[in-house]
Amino acid sequence: MQPLMPKATAVWLIENTQLTFEQIAAFCGLHELEIQGIADGDVATGVLGIDPVSKGLTSRESIELAEKNPEKKVEFIAEYKDYVQYEKKRKKSKYTPVARRQDKPDAIAWLVKSHPELSDMQISKLIGTTKKTIEDIRSRAHWNMNNLKPRDPVLLGLCTQTALEGAIFLAKNKAGSDHAPSEKNKASA
């Protein structure tokens, strides 16, 4: 774990504390030589320091304890750790570059042709498209249907192989569970 702006935090710690370069490097997630370069003025010139105490990264007591004992590291505050873990878990919206957006209908056509068991919702999540576009391609009513060339969405860079395999696995399991009760009912009848 490291602060959001490690060099700015390191600048402040160098200017305002008696911490060793090793302690600052450990806290900021930087190399010790980079901290020495900041202290010499070779690195991060013109960067304004950020106080880690005022930003809620650590406490004044933790810094003072580390100043007294060079072997001790500066501790992060528990709430900051929780915030960092929350930020990592939060799903980022998937951005598709303009150049790749025209490939989405081709990818949808490939998925519909190669894996008809996938639901519209699964395709929509994989590719990042609307259900209307998927329905149009399934019903062959898409405005550009004659020019579509079914192409693998993984090769187009629209989804990952693991995401595709996971969606296919879920779709096959769901299809298997939908058919399983009806087969049992036929056998008992």
Side-chain angles (χ1 to χ4, degrees):
M1 182 165 40
Q2 69 181 32
L4 184 61
M5 297 175 57
K7 287 186 182 177
T9 305
V11 167
W12 190 91
L13 290 170
I14 290 168
E15 293 174 353
N16 298 296
T17 66
Q18 298 297 318
L19 295 172
T20 65
F21 291 160
E22 187 178 326
Q23 289 172 314
I24 295 172
F27 182 75
C28 295
L30 300 172
H31 194 275
E32 199 173 332
L33 292 174
E34 195 168 8
I35 301 299
Q36 186 175 355
I38 293 171
D40 293 341
D42 297 334
V43 179
T45 55
V47 174
L48 298 174
I50 294 179
D51 180 3
V53 176
S54 67
K55 292 293 182 188
L57 303 175
T58 189
S59 64
R60 172 59 57 195
E61 295 77 28
S62 178
I63 291 175
E64 289 172 359
L65 287 172
E67 285 176 328
K68 292 175 185 173
N69 182 1
E71 300 296 318
K72 184 161 177 52
K73 292 184 178 181
V74 180
E75 306 267 332
F76 282 96
I77 293 179
E79 290 85 23
Y80 179 71
K81 289 180 183 175
D82 293 341
Y83 173 75
V84 170
Q85 289 174 350
Y86 169 75
E87 283 296 310
K88 285 182 181 176
K89 287 180 185 176
R90 191 171 73 172
K91 190 174 183 178
K92 306 282 184 199
S93 62
K94 187 172 149 184
Y95 173 75
T96 305
V98 177
R100 287 209 188 125
R101 290 180 196 166
Q102 64 195 12
D103 294 335
K104 286 184 178 186
D106 292 345
I108 296 167
W110 186 87
L111 288 171
V112 167
K113 180 180 177 184
S114 302
H115 300 286
E117 69 273 8
L118 290 174
S119 69
D120 289 355
M121 180 58 83
Q122 288 176 311
I123 295 173
S124 177
K125 284 183 180 179
L126 273 175
I127 306 298
T129 188
T130 61
K131 288 183 184 178
K132 172 83 170 104
T133 305
I134 299 166
E135 290 170 6
D136 287 349
I137 291 173
R138 276 193 199 272
S139 65
R140 306 196 54 80
H142 189 264
W143 66 272
N144 198 18
M145 196 65 199
N146 293 333
N147 297 325
L148 292 185
K149 297 175 188 140
R151 295 188 292 171
D152 189 348
V154 175
L155 297 177
L156 293 172
L158 295 172
C159 69
T160 63
Q161 184 67 40
T162 55
L164 178 61
E165 289 172 358
I168 293 169
F169 179 76
L170 288 174
K172 286 184 179 179
N173 280 349
K174 185 175 181 184
S177 66
D178 288 346
H179 295 298
S182 60
E183 290 172 9
K184 289 179 183 177
N185 291 342
K186 289 179 184 176
S188 63

